[in-house]
Amino acid sequence: MNSKKRNLQALEQDLLNTSGEPCGPDRADVLTMVRDERRRRGRRGTALFTAALIVMSASLLWRPEDTPPPLVATAPPKPASSPIRELNDDQLLAFLQDTPTALVEWPNGDRTLLVIGTSSSPNP
């Protein structure tokens, strides 16, 4: 016999179980493995569903502490309004007669009143 043919026969015996020995699980073992796997997956799915249900229930039932509404800031009461009266230039200068003042008229016709006041703190 050729050595190549012997090698092929040995390979064939390795691949095909010709000795009659069991080479893997039988049908009953395969069915048991499939049932066990289905049960395991079913328990995992049930556990995940239960956990999700608990989390959703807790989120619906849990309410944060009621916080009081923000306080609305109230404006301080307006001081008593002083009557406003219009003065012309002469009346204004008469009102400020003891205060150093000047009325400046700009080239565009606008007027600005300059009041010179004294500071209570000395300048360094």
Side-chain angles (χ1 to χ4, degrees), residues 20-40:
E21 296 176 11
C23 63
D26 62 349
R27 192 181 88 186
D29 292 338
V30 171
L31 287 175
T32 303
M33 287 188 285
V34 169
R35 283 187 195 118
D36 291 344
E37 182 64 21
R38 282 186 180 169
R39 279 190 208 117
R40 187 183 67 78

Side-chain angles (χ1 to χ4, degrees), residues 24-105:
D26 62 349
R27 192 181 88 186
D29 292 338
V30 171
L31 287 175
T32 303
M33 287 188 285
V34 169
R35 283 187 195 118
D36 291 344
E37 182 64 21
R38 282 186 180 169
R39 279 190 208 117
R40 187 183 67 78
R41 287 185 183 183
R43 283 190 298 258
R44 185 177 64 193
T46 303
L48 287 174
F49 176 76
T50 304
L53 190 61
I54 289 171
V55 168
M56 286 185 352
S57 299
S59 68
L60 289 175
L61 296 176
W62 179 76
R63 294 177 188 248
E65 293 180 19
D66 290 336
T67 55
L71 298 176
V72 177
T74 57
K78 292 183 180 179
S81 62
S82 59
I84 299 175
R85 27 177 225 180
E86 291 186 22
L87 301 174
N88 63 19
D89 295 342
D90 295 331
Q91 290 172 335
L92 182 60
L93 290 174
F95 180 72
L96 298 171
Q97 68 183 352
D98 294 333
T99 307
T101 57
L103 186 61
V104 177
E105 187 170 342

